[in-house]
Amino acid sequence: MPVIGIGTDLVHVPSFAEQLALPGTGFAGVFTSGERRDAADRPASLAARWAAKEAFVKAWSASLHGSAPVMGDEALAQVEVVRDAWDRPRLRLFGEVARHLSGVEAHVSLSHDADYASAYVVLSVE
């Protein structure tokens, strides 16, 4: 499977938790109910999912090098981190993002330790 884009992101968990707790925060509309359930609203787990969304956008952007971006911040809400029966993460794309990236596989790795959460995303064609 040829790789078409790679992205990574690092999130400072305490700062992220502060932003998450702010009234009217924009994060509320970015996480799906499944992501909130899987993360059990733990800041480090949500920060890792945020990092995955950001890393995905970076990987997608890398795949478009030399071309205009297709979508803005609304793409973040159309990327969901899901888990399989063994708790391995995967990205599920829907809406316009899924239509734009039909035939593209999105692979993700998540990590969090102490004050930091990170994600690494690789996009490949089937």
Side-chain angles (χ1 to χ4, degrees), residues 55-81:
F56 168 80
V57 169
K58 290 173 183 177
W60 188 14
S61 223
S63 77
L64 297 171
H65 184 76
S67 302
V70 180
M71 298 180 70
D73 289 340
E74 68 270 13
L76 296 173
Q78 296 176 30
V79 176
E80 180 180 29
V81 177

Side-chain angles (χ1 to χ4, degrees), residues 9-22 25-28 30-31 36 39 41-51 53-54 115-117:
D9 197 60
L10 179 68
V11 176
H12 184 244
V13 175
S15 299
F16 179 81
E18 286 176 17
Q19 292 176 339
L20 203 57
L22 290 174
T25 181
F27 289 116
V30 174
F31 294 110
R36 286 191 170 280
D41 284 327
R42 291 183 310 265
S45 293
L46 285 172
R49 282 157 175 76
W50 175 259
K53 292 169 184 275
E54 289 284 326
D115 285 349
Y116 292 93

